């Protein structure tokens, strides 16, 4: 009986310690860097939604450590909790994202722009050009792979701004 | 044994850097001004080579091919 009470007390204390710790850090520290610019350095945000090659995922405080290669897609930054305004959106060409154990997330990209800077007409024309280059290139050649990369990037850009390409 | 999981671009002989630079370059091509000019400026680069002899740097010549520069 005594040991059971002690056990319950320890469990309660442990729960309290855990919840107060969780309450203390609800923010993610974001470092977002491009070769020529530091977009965010140690910014405190609520969530970062990352386009990983193996799927899109969101990082909030106390996320498990994780490393992911990025695919061309939209990186979303939620400065405040859900309902606290529109997320800030960047289109990224690729790169890497690293989430550390202490809620620090690093995003490194070769290039990133705001969605407003994407030209819908250019996306469509580049996609068509890449599509015909892909069709005329020899199967398995470097030219074909390059055309496929172009197709994928333009398709992802189209998707981000609401232009459907196929 | 199953073949190692890889990507089409790696199978075609591209490295990760070649792949990601191609993706970034494609992306820069579809931007509106003035973002396009700013982004394109990041892409251009060139190497020069020069030979030092007797503590004096020789004339600089632009490298046209990385393959040739290593010889």
């Amino acid at each position: 009986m005594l040991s059971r009470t002690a056990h319950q007390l320890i469990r309660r204390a442990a729960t309290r310690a855990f919840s107060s710790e969780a309450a203390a850090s609800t923010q993610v520290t974001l470092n977002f860097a491009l070769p020529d610019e530091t977009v965010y350095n140690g910014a405190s945000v609520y969530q970062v939604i990352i386009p990983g090659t193996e799927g899109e995922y969101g990082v909030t405080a106390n996320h498990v450590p994780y490393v992911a290669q990025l695919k061309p897609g939209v990186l979303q930054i939620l400065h405040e909790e859900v309902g606290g305004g529109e997320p800030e959106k960047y289109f990224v060409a690729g790169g890497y994202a690293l989430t550390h154990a202490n809620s620090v997330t690093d995003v490194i990209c070769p290039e990133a722009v705001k969605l407003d800077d994407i030209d819908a007409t250019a996306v469509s024309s580049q996609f068509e050009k890449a599509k015909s280059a892909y069709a005329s290139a020899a199967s398995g050649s470097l030219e074909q792979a390059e055309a496929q990369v172009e197709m994928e990037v333009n398709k992802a850009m189209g998707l981000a701004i609401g232009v459907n390409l196929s | 044994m199953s073949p190692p999981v890889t990507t089409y671009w790696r199978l075609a002989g591209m490295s990760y850097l070649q792949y990601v630079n191609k993706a970034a370059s494609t992306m820069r091509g579809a931007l509106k001004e003035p973002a396009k000019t700013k982004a394109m400026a990041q892409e251009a680069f060139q190497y020069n080579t020069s030979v030092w002899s007797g503590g004096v740097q020789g004339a600089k010549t632009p490298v046209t091919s990385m393959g040739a520069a290593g010889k």
Side-chain angles (χ1 to χ4, degrees):
Chain A
M1 183 64 195
L2 185 69
S3 80
R4 204 171 142 197
T5 318
H7 187 73
Q8 278 176 345
L9 273 174
I10 290 167
R11 252 181 68 181
R12 259 184 230 143
T15 316
R16 260 202 309 277
F18 181 77
S19 55
S20 64
E21 196 177 281
S25 67
T26 55
Q27 297 292 96
V28 175
T29 305
L30 175 68
N31 298 315
F32 180 22
L34 312 180
D36 61 311
E37 189 188 347
T38 305
V39 186
Y40 284 112
N41 182 11
S44 180
V45 302
Y46 174 69
Q47 189 182 23
V48 193
I49 300 171
I50 298 165
T53 44
E54 283 160 32
E56 204 167 79
Y57 65 99
V59 175
T60 44
N62 304 316
H63 192 281
V64 288
Y66 196 62
V67 179
Q69 188 183 320
L70 309 185
K71 65 180 177 188
V74 182
L75 177 85
Q76 301 182 60
I77 301 164
L78 280 85
H79 291 273
E80 285 161 44
E81 221 164 316
V82 179
E86 276 291 293
E88 190 179 1
K89 292 179 181 178
Y90 287 91
F91 187 87
V92 299
Y96 275 88
L98 302 94
T99 296
H100 306 273
N102 55 355
S103 292
V104 173
T105 292
D106 304 324
V107 180
I108 307 114
C109 300
E111 189 65 83
V113 287
K114 289 273 177 80
L115 295 191
D116 292 342
D117 285 331
I118 299 174
D119 184 346
T121 337
V123 170
S124 310
S125 72
Q126 277 199 155
F127 181 78
E128 292 307 324
K129 226 168 106 184
K131 203 171 154 185
S132 61
Y134 179 84
S136 61
S139 181
S141 66
L142 182 62
E143 289 74 27
Q144 196 189 41
E146 285 183 337
Q148 194 172 342
V149 174
E150 285 182 32
M151 276 167 73
E152 276 182 6
V153 174
N154 286 305
K155 208 168 176 174
M157 288 175 102
L159 206 66
I161 56 168
V163 178
N164 213 353
L165 301 165
S166 58
Chain B
M1 210 179 100
S2 61
V5 179
T6 189
T7 55
Y8 67 88
W9 46 267
R10 209 173 269 286
L11 286 174
M14 285 171 100
S15 66
Y16 176 72
L17 276 183
Q18 284 172 321
Y19 158 74
V20 86
N21 282 332
K22 180 77 197 162
S25 153
T26 306
M27 183 185 147
R28 290 182 185 117
L31 300 182
K32 288 179 196 162
E33 293 296 354
K36 191 173 183 174
T37 314
K38 186 176 163 270
M40 283 296 190
Q42 296 304 321
E43 203 171 312
F45 63 92
Q46 65 171 41
Y47 293 102
N48 286 327
T49 179
S50 66
V51 178
W52 288 71
S53 72
V56 182
Q57 190 177 14
K60 285 182 185 172
T61 43
V63 174
T64 47
S65 134
M66 289 309 279
K71 285 177 185 139

